[in-house]
Amino acid sequence: MERSSVGASWEDRLIRWQPSSHLVHCAKARDSMPIAWHKGAQTRFSGTPPYMIRIENISKQNSHRILFIEASAALNRGEKIGLVGPNGAGKTTLFRMITGDETPDEGQVSADKGVTIGYFNQDVGEMEGRSAVAEVMEGAGPVSVVAAELRQLEAEMVDPDKLDEMDRIIERYGEVQARYEELDGYALEGRAREVLSGLSFSQEMMDGDVGKLSGGWKMRVALARILLMRPDVMLLDEPSNHLDLESLIWLEEFLKGYEGALLMTSHDREFMNRIVGKIIEIDAGSLNSYSGDYGFYEQQRAQNEKQQQAQFERQQAMLAKEIKFIERFKARASHASQVQSRVKKLEKIDRVEPPKRRQTVAFEFLPAPRSGEDVINVKNVHKKYGSRVIYEGLDFMVRRKERWCIMGVNGAGKSTLLKLVAGSAEPDTGSVAIGASVKMGYFAQHAMDLLDGERTVLEWLEDSFPLSGQAPLRALAGCFGFSGDDVEKKCRVLSGGEKARLVMAKMLFDPPNLLVLDEPTNHLDLDTKEMLIKALSEYEGTMLFVSHDRHFLAALSNRVLELTPDGIHQYPGGYTEYVASTGQEAPGLRS
């Protein structure tokens, strides 16, 4: 097999920055034959090739799972592409083949000459010992290498042991300084701070030790490195995870203005819809391209499936008719030539396959008990953490069937309000009262710590619902992404996203009449999220929730509570009406 030009054959030109070596890659590909590939067709041309990355007839198998079978696609200059497919389809593997961390079993992945590639994924490496802004600047591509040489030369210029080499050092310093100016290096720190600010870092966080940040904030640092680098090609694997709504909208605008090529995955359909103009779908080992955003892809895929199903059914009807004729007359000598003719005809027919449908299971709520009309009553609540004041006299009433989404910038008190309602936090003064006959379900990230690590997914659900039987519990697990042997996984080996889905599955199987949800869509893939939105839209109870997913907010809210430094604002309509009323998608974006 010919080695990929972005594979092991160019390790000498692959630059990795420490300490986050798994987060940032910058690569310059070797020469690549000027051939563009579109839907398996080969076109030769002269001049600059339009493609930047070409995936040619690749096959790949991980363990016993076949991911790709002779799959082809291309990432052209300036294209912004969304990569979609079910969990385990091979999205991350495709990214790793493009960066050269993995190679295809057959076929090749190649890049145009001189293309730089920046890769962001969810695997946070070690980060400590320097500030967040220094960590971001270190990943700024060629300019960071030049900056490092400048610092080294400056140290040598004041080193008394280097006096004999001073003429050479000064001459080299002038050359490197000119290159640094050419790369706009002196503006690098300002641009690094601008990117970090867009991702909601305070000045204190920018200058503090990056090692003291949580995993979610380290993810933002890793993302900022790629954005500051501005490579020719960005590969972004779930960049919208761990971002608040303000950061998400800032990133959206940044990527819309980015002039390079982009290939990204995201579980946020609104985010993807606003950025990409093309979708590449991984489906049963193939790479299928759709021109348009995610919404267009959904419509086109459904239409293609409908057309393929109709063709399949027509052919099946024709085959059944022919087979019936053959069976009826095969024993008659008078019809022997006709029978043989039809048998040969059937042998030559290209069979139409039925559409490959993904297995998605609908979830339906059992009816929840009816609560009283007054569900939550928050009266004159004061709350602060140390010297930081969260609420001063908060009054808030939630009535039956209302669906409140809580809006506010980081630190405004969104999660704190949910904790007060759930009883996991207490107000300093004031009261939080839960109404008559209210049965609450509270989803928060710490709920995942309650899983018994030694129990399997199915065992944990059976422990929770001992009278339900295996069949409905297996169906429940399937709705939330645990199909087949996945129910036999022990809870301790589950990813964060899998744990979140399992906790939510338990909460919704025996439905409360009040749902208190803190970022319920984190880690849910697009199909599971759509299933959850559909289920919650038919839910008869009351909801109070925080989410950064605009599709989720618009689909489910009918009230908005906005927490701002200027005070608390209530809006009688849902998120869509809130945006129309304020002219902004999030409180932190107001001028």
Side-chain angles (χ1 to χ4, degrees), residues 120-131:
F120 166 79
N121 65 19
Q122 301 293 307
D123 184 14
V124 176
E126 290 298 321
M127 292 185 185
E128 59 183 358
R130 54 185 166 196
S131 68

Side-chain angles (χ1 to χ4, degrees), residues 371-389:
S371 70
E373 289 301 315
D374 293 344
V375 178
I376 304 168
N377 191 359
V378 177
K379 283 188 175 181
N380 196 30
V381 163
H382 291 67
K383 182 69 178 177
K384 64 179 181 179
Y385 294 110
S387 61
R388 188 162 66 91
V389 176

Side-chain angles (χ1 to χ4, degrees), residues 1-202:
M1 184 190 80
E2 181 181 350
R3 301 186 91 181
S4 163
S5 64
V6 285
S9 61
W10 49 271
E11 283 126 330
D12 57 319
R13 302 184 74 172
L14 178 66
I15 304 169
R16 299 173 188 267
W17 289 275
Q18 297 293 334
S20 350
S21 60
H22 298 295
L23 290 170
V24 182
H25 299 234
C26 176
K28 286 207 170 183
R30 292 194 176 190
D31 294 0
S32 179
M33 182 184 296
I35 301 175
W37 290 83
H38 300 283
K39 299 182 180 177
Q42 177 175 329
T43 306
R44 293 181 182 269
F45 50 85
S46 59
T48 303
Y51 68 81
M52 305 192 84
I53 305 293
R54 186 181 67 206
I55 300 158
E56 179 186 346
N57 296 324
I58 62 166
S59 296
K60 180 73 173 178
Q61 181 172 337
N62 279 351
S63 186
H64 299 296
R65 173 177 285 181
I66 296 174
L67 298 178
F68 300 102
I69 306 170
E70 296 183 350
S72 297
L75 176 58
N76 298 320
R77 296 181 183 278
E79 280 190 324
K80 294 181 172 63
I81 300 177
L83 180 64
V84 303
N87 284 340
K91 297 187 290 292
T92 298
T93 299
L94 186 64
F95 281 142
R96 290 176 60 80
M97 286 192 287
I98 292 173
T99 62
D101 288 329
E102 293 190 33
T103 56
D105 299 331
E106 297 177 4
Q108 67 174 8
V109 181
S110 57
D112 187 25
K113 180 180 178 181
V115 166
T116 55
I117 302 172
Y119 176 38
F120 166 79
N121 65 19
Q122 301 293 307
D123 184 14
V124 176
E126 290 298 321
M127 292 185 185
E128 59 183 358
R130 54 185 166 196
S131 68
V133 71
E135 183 74 25
V136 171
M137 290 170 64
E138 191 68 17
V143 68
S144 67
V145 178
V146 177
E149 187 176 357
L150 264 185
R151 290 193 296 270
Q152 178 185 344
L153 291 168
E154 286 168 353
E156 290 177 354
M157 288 169 70
V158 295
D159 186 348
D161 294 334
K162 299 280 186 178
L163 285 175
D164 294 342
E165 304 177 58
M166 197 56 60
D167 289 344
R168 177 195 63 79
I169 293 171
I170 292 173
E171 181 180 359
R172 178 58 182 162
Y173 184 82
E175 295 170 354
V176 174
Q177 187 178 46
R179 176 59 176 156
Y180 192 63
E181 290 176 351
E182 180 184 332
L183 292 171
D184 201 22
Y186 288 108
L188 182 63
E189 181 174 346
R191 290 190 287 118
R193 290 184 180 275
E194 182 181 350
V195 170
L196 286 170
S197 177
L199 296 176
S200 297
F201 279 77
S202 65

Side-chain angles (χ1 to χ4, degrees), residues 441-443 502-512 515-517:
Y442 176 43
F443 177 85
L502 183 55
V503 170
M504 185 168 291
K506 176 191 172 185
M507 182 177 69
L508 297 181
F509 187 68
D510 181 21
L515 288 175
V516 179
L517 309 174

